[in-house]
Amino acid sequence: MLGLALPPQATQVGLAVDIAAFAMHGGELRVLLVQRGELPHARDWALPGGFVQPGEELHEAALRELRTETTVQLEPRHLEQFYTFGEVGRDPRGRIVSVAHLAVLPHGTVSVSGGGHTLGAEWLSAHHPPRLAFDHQTILTRALLRLQLRLEYANLALEFLPDTFTLPELQTVYEAILNRQLDKRNFRKRLLAQGILTPSGERRSGVGRPAQLYRRAKNVRVAAL
């Protein structure tokens, strides 16, 4: 079967990826942002991202841009495509469609620096970020909504924690993502009833009675899309 040639008036479209990468720092949900070093939007904060190379899979492009622009070399504990942004005029360089990815980086991922053409990289507040370049505030807002939705029918909160954790630490993750407080008793009762946690057999010493440590139950994974 012969391929169809593009008509002369066909729009030339660039394909890009943008990554909303999240982690917990000091009980707060943070997003990884870079300070752009090139026009357009030079010196503005933005999500890591860039153009997809020929023959490159989308998730490969997302990982490459994340590592190149932020020097983060750790493999995300979770990476998914969550929306495609293709509004006319979203990028002054031309018609560019971006496939946005949501990433959760391993617990303890703190130290970052800018790489490639960026001036710097920092973990900043996910709910109260600085002014962002392009339509990246819209992308971040939708990423947060996706993250909150995944709390309701998946086990994504567990990806923000180390292998063992306390129930208060898990509740902190939920509250940070939802940006609101939860009732401690109801939260504990609901989580334990779901069967996604199992006691580790260890306790963490601190102020007061040592806290029971939990881990994810066997065969519990992030739910499929």
Side-chain angles (χ1 to χ4, degrees):
M1 181 178 178
L2 296 177
L4 297 177
L6 291 174
Q9 69 274 20
T11 301
Q12 297 297 315
V13 179
L15 180 61
V17 292
D18 288 300
I19 307 96
F22 298 100
M24 288 289 296
H25 292 165
E28 182 183 14
L29 181 67
R30 302 288 185 96
V31 63
L32 185 53
L33 298 177
V34 297
Q35 190 174 28
R36 289 178 55 81
E38 297 181 327
L39 293 173
H41 296 286
R43 297 189 177 277
D44 285 348
W45 290 100
L47 297 171
F51 292 102
V52 179
Q53 297 177 354
E56 189 175 39
E57 298 291 346
L58 292 175
H59 74 278
E60 294 174 343
L63 290 174
R64 174 179 54 77
E65 289 293 338
L66 186 62
R67 291 165 179 163
T68 299
E69 293 195 346
T70 69
T71 69
V72 169
Q73 300 302 314
L74 297 175
E75 192 76 14
R77 297 191 66 175
H78 179 76
L79 179 69
E80 66 170 88
Q81 298 176 26
F82 70 92
Y83 201 77
T84 300
F85 294 84
E87 291 80 359
V88 175
R90 64 175 298 273
D91 193 310
R93 293 169 293 185
R95 187 69 190 274
I96 297 174
V97 174
S98 177
V99 180
H101 288 66
L102 184 154
V104 177
L105 294 185
H107 175 79
T109 306
V110 177
S111 178
V112 293
S113 60
H117 299 293
T118 66
L119 299 178
E122 290 187 30
W123 287 103
L124 298 174
S125 171
H127 292 289
H128 304 285
R131 183 173 64 89
L132 300 180
F134 305 107
D135 57 351
H136 288 193
Q137 181 60 62
T138 300
I139 296 176
L140 176 58
T141 298
R142 188 173 285 271
L144 286 169
L145 291 174
R146 176 66 172 173
L147 193 56
Q148 292 167 352
L149 178 64
R150 297 286 269 153
L151 287 182
E152 298 301 322
Y153 71 93
N155 307 307
L156 194 56
L158 301 180
E159 303 300 323
F160 286 87
L161 294 163
D163 292 337
T164 59
F165 48 85
T166 66
L167 290 180
E169 288 171 342
L170 180 57
Q171 182 170 341
T172 296
V173 173
Y174 272 78
E175 291 178 338
I177 293 174
L178 296 173
N179 201 27
R180 60 183 175 87
Q181 291 187 329
L182 300 173
D183 180 80
K184 180 179 178 180
R185 180 176 298 180
N186 290 339
F187 176 84
R188 181 186 180 96
K189 181 178 180 180
R190 180 170 62 87
L191 261 293
L192 293 179
Q194 290 178 357
I196 65 174
L197 305 179
T198 184
S200 70
E202 302 173 344
R203 290 183 177 272
R204 180 178 298 157
S205 300
V207 179
R209 188 171 65 178
Q212 171 69 61
L213 291 174
Y214 291 83
R215 65 174 75 249
R216 72 174 71 204
K218 291 183 178 180
N219 302 320
V220 171
R221 298 291 183 269
V222 175
L225 302 181

PDB file of all heavy atoms in Angstrom, residues 63-73 113-118:
ATOM      1  N   LEU A  63      13.121  10.702  30.222  1.00  0.00           N
ATOM      2  CA  LEU A  63      14.232  10.375  31.113  1.00  0.00           C
ATOM      3  C   LEU A  63      15.504  11.126  30.712  1.00  0.00           C
ATOM      4  O   LEU A  63      16.244  11.620  31.567  1.00  0.00           O
ATOM      5  CB  LEU A  63      14.486   8.870  31.096  1.00  0.00           C
ATOM      6  CG  LEU A  63      13.421   8.000  31.769  1.00  0.00           C
ATOM      7  CD1 LEU A  63      13.719   6.524  31.547  1.00  0.00           C
ATOM      8  CD2 LEU A  63      13.329   8.300  33.264  1.00  0.00           C
ATOM      9  N   ARG A  64      15.755  11.226  29.405  1.00  0.00           N
ATOM     10  CA  ARG A  64      16.946  11.931  28.932  1.00  0.00           C
ATOM     11  C   ARG A  64      16.908  13.404  29.344  1.00  0.00           C
ATOM     12  O   ARG A  64      17.902  13.951  29.839  1.00  0.00           O
ATOM     13  CB  ARG A  64      17.068  11.809  27.407  1.00  0.00           C
ATOM     14  CG  ARG A  64      18.200  12.648  26.815  1.00  0.00           C
ATOM     15  CD  ARG A  64      18.302  12.473  25.311  1.00  0.00           C
ATOM     16  NE  ARG A  64      17.042  12.730  24.634  1.00  0.00           N
ATOM     17  CZ  ARG A  64      16.544  13.938  24.395  1.00  0.00           C
ATOM     18  NH1 ARG A  64      17.191  15.030  24.797  1.00  0.00           N
ATOM     19  NH2 ARG A  64      15.399  14.077  23.743  1.00  0.00           N
ATOM     20  N   GLU A  65      15.772  14.059  29.134  1.00  0.00           N
ATOM     21  CA  GLU A  65      15.668  15.471  29.480  1.00  0.00           C
ATOM     22  C   GLU A  65      15.776  15.682  30.984  1.00  0.00           C
ATOM     23  O   GLU A  65      16.387  16.646  31.447  1.00  0.00           O
ATOM     24  CB  GLU A  65      14.347  16.038  28.955  1.00  0.00           C
ATOM     25  CG  GLU A  65      14.285  16.184  27.440  1.00  0.00           C
ATOM     26  CD  GLU A  65      15.254  17.238  26.917  1.00  0.00           C
ATOM     27  OE1 GLU A  65      15.656  18.127  27.702  1.00  0.00           O
ATOM     28  OE2 GLU A  65      15.609  17.176  25.733  1.00  0.00           O
ATOM     29  N   LEU A  66      15.184  14.791  31.754  1.00  0.00           N
ATOM     30  CA  LEU A  66      15.257  14.908  33.211  1.00  0.00           C
ATOM     31  C   LEU A  66      16.704  14.811  33.673  1.00  0.00           C
ATOM     32  O   LEU A  66      17.164  15.597  34.510  1.00  0.00           O
ATOM     33  CB  LEU A  66      14.412  13.807  33.854  1.00  0.00           C
ATOM     34  CG  LEU A  66      14.247  13.849  35.375  1.00  0.00           C
ATOM     35  CD1 LEU A  66      13.535  15.123  35.801  1.00  0.00           C
ATOM     36  CD2 LEU A  66      13.473  12.621  35.857  1.00  0.00           C
ATOM     37  N   ARG A  67      17.451  13.876  33.115  1.00  0.00           N
ATOM     38  CA  ARG A  67      18.842  13.684  33.528  1.00  0.00           C
ATOM     39  C   ARG A  67      19.747  14.789  32.998  1.00  0.00           C
ATOM     40  O   ARG A  67      20.682  15.217  33.686  1.00  0.00           O
ATOM     41  CB  ARG A  67      19.315  12.316  33.037  1.00  0.00           C
ATOM     42  CG  ARG A  67      18.630  11.163  33.761  1.00  0.00           C
ATOM     43  CD  ARG A  67      18.825   9.852  33.029  1.00  0.00           C
ATOM     44  NE  ARG A  67      18.182   8.748  33.750  1.00  0.00           N
ATOM     45  CZ  ARG A  67      17.896   7.569  33.215  1.00  0.00           C
ATOM     46  NH1 ARG A  67      18.217   7.327  31.946  1.00  0.00           N
ATOM     47  NH2 ARG A  67      17.316   6.626  33.931  1.00  0.00           N
ATOM     48  N   THR A  68      19.466  15.255  31.791  1.00  0.00           N
ATOM     49  CA  THR A  68      20.325  16.270  31.187  1.00  0.00           C
ATOM     50  C   THR A  68      20.139  17.636  31.837  1.00  0.00           C
ATOM     51  O   THR A  68      21.112  18.345  32.111  1.00  0.00           O
ATOM     52  CB  THR A  68      20.035  16.390  29.678  1.00  0.00           C
ATOM     53  OG1 THR A  68      20.300  15.135  29.043  1.00  0.00           O
ATOM     54  CG2 THR A  68      20.900  17.462  29.041  1.00  0.00           C
ATOM     55  N   GLU A  69      18.892  18.009  32.109  1.00  0.00           N
ATOM     56  CA  GLU A  69      18.616  19.359  32.591  1.00  0.00           C
ATOM     57  C   GLU A  69      18.736  19.504  34.100  1.00  0.00           C
ATOM     58  O   GLU A  69      18.838  20.626  34.598  1.00  0.00           O
ATOM     59  CB  GLU A  69      17.218  19.799  32.138  1.00  0.00           C
ATOM     60  CG  GLU A  69      17.104  19.976  30.629  1.00  0.00           C
ATOM     61  CD  GLU A  69      15.858  20.736  30.222  1.00  0.00           C
ATOM     62  OE1 GLU A  69      14.948  20.890  31.066  1.00  0.00           O
ATOM     63  OE2 GLU A  69      15.795  21.188  29.067  1.00  0.00           O
ATOM     64  N   THR A  70      18.708  18.404  34.852  1.00  0.00           N
ATOM     65  CA  THR A  70      18.724  18.511  36.310  1.00  0.00           C
ATOM     66  C   THR A  70      19.831  17.702  36.964  1.00  0.00           C
ATOM     67  O   THR A  70      19.979  17.760  38.185  1.00  0.00           O
ATOM     68  CB  THR A  70      17.384  18.044  36.917  1.00  0.00           C
ATOM     69  OG1 THR A  70      17.250  16.629  36.731  1.00  0.00           O
ATOM     70  CG2 THR A  70      16.215  18.744  36.254  1.00  0.00           C
ATOM     71  N   THR A  71      20.592  16.955  36.221  1.00  0.00           N
ATOM     72  CA  THR A  71      21.655  16.067  36.714  1.00  0.00           C
ATOM     73  C   THR A  71      21.131  14.972  37.637  1.00  0.00           C
ATOM     74  O   THR A  71      21.901  14.339  38.352  1.00  0.00           O
ATOM     75  CB  THR A  71      22.778  16.843  37.439  1.00  0.00           C
ATOM     76  OG1 THR A  71      22.285  17.382  38.688  1.00  0.00           O
ATOM     77  CG2 THR A  71      23.310  17.993  36.576  1.00  0.00           C
ATOM     78  N   VAL A  72      19.818  14.737  37.664  1.00  0.00           N
ATOM     79  CA  VAL A  72      19.259  13.628  38.438  1.00  0.00           C
ATOM     80  C   VAL A  72      19.488  12.343  37.658  1.00  0.00           C
ATOM     81  O   VAL A  72      18.984  12.188  36.548  1.00  0.00           O
ATOM     82  CB  VAL A  72      17.747  13.829  38.696  1.00  0.00           C
ATOM     83  CG1 VAL A  72      17.133  12.555  39.268  1.00  0.00           C
ATOM     84  CG2 VAL A  72      17.527  14.982  39.655  1.00  0.00           C
ATOM     85  N   GLN A  73      20.239  11.414  38.224  1.00  0.00           N
ATOM     86  CA  GLN A  73      20.563  10.176  37.537  1.00  0.00           C
ATOM     87  C   GLN A  73      19.775   8.981  38.077  1.00  0.00           C
ATOM     88  O   GLN A  73      19.840   7.888  37.508  1.00  0.00           O
ATOM     89  CB  GLN A  73      22.068   9.894  37.659  1.00  0.00           C
ATOM     90  CG  GLN A  73      22.941  10.988  37.055  1.00  0.00           C
ATOM     91  CD  GLN A  73      22.650  11.221  35.579  1.00  0.00           C
ATOM     92  OE1 GLN A  73      22.540  10.274  34.799  1.00  0.00           O
ATOM     93  NE2 GLN A  73      22.511  12.491  35.195  1.00  0.00           N
ATOM     94  N   SER A 113      21.193  19.967  40.512  1.00  0.00           N
ATOM     95  CA  SER A 113      21.814  21.158  39.928  1.00  0.00           C
ATOM     96  C   SER A 113      21.445  21.205  38.458  1.00  0.00           C
ATOM     97  O   SER A 113      21.011  20.203  37.881  1.00  0.00           O
ATOM     98  CB  SER A 113      23.337  21.126  40.094  1.00  0.00           C
ATOM     99  OG  SER A 113      23.894  19.984  39.464  1.00  0.00           O
ATOM    100  N   GLY A 114      21.575  22.384  37.882  1.00  0.00           N
ATOM    101  CA  GLY A 114      21.219  22.537  36.482  1.00  0.00           C
ATOM    102  C   GLY A 114      22.234  21.879  35.564  1.00  0.00           C
ATOM    103  O   GLY A 114      23.418  21.772  35.883  1.00  0.00           O
ATOM    104  N   GLY A 115      21.756  21.429  34.416  1.00  0.00           N
ATOM    105  CA  GLY A 115      22.626  20.832  33.416  1.00  0.00           C
ATOM    106  C   GLY A 115      22.187  21.262  32.032  1.00  0.00           C
ATOM    107  O   GLY A 115      21.150  21.917  31.859  1.00  0.00           O
ATOM    108  N   GLY A 116      22.969  20.904  31.026  1.00  0.00           N
ATOM    109  CA  GLY A 116      22.612  21.283  29.669  1.00  0.00           C
ATOM    110  C   GLY A 116      22.603  22.788  29.506  1.00  0.00           C
ATOM    111  O   GLY A 116      23.564  23.473  29.850  1.00  0.00           O
ATOM    112  N   HIS A 117      21.492  23.329  29.011  1.00  0.00           N
ATOM    113  CA  HIS A 117      21.371  24.773  28.780  1.00  0.00           C
ATOM    114  C   HIS A 117      20.654  25.491  29.917  1.00  0.00           C
ATOM    115  O   HIS A 117      20.301  26.660  29.769  1.00  0.00           O
ATOM    116  CB  HIS A 117      20.629  25.029  27.465  1.00  0.00           C
ATOM    117  CG  HIS A 117      21.330  24.466  26.265  1.00  0.00           C
ATOM    118  ND1 HIS A 117      22.537  24.953  25.815  1.00  0.00           N
ATOM    119  CD2 HIS A 117      21.004  23.439  25.436  1.00  0.00           C
ATOM    120  CE1 HIS A 117      22.925  24.270  24.749  1.00  0.00           C
ATOM    121  NE2 HIS A 117      22.014  23.344  24.500  1.00  0.00           N
ATOM    122  N   THR A 118      20.427  24.807  31.043  1.00  0.00           N
ATOM    123  CA  THR A 118      19.726  25.445  32.154  1.00  0.00           C
ATOM    124  C   THR A 118      20.708  26.190  33.055  1.00  0.00           C
ATOM    125  O   THR A 118      21.889  25.860  33.134  1.00  0.00           O
ATOM    126  CB  THR A 118      18.958  24.413  32.997  1.00  0.00           C
ATOM    127  OG1 THR A 118      19.889  23.534  33.636  1.00  0.00           O
ATOM    128  CG2 THR A 118      18.008  23.611  32.127  1.00  0.00           C
TER     129      THR A 118
END
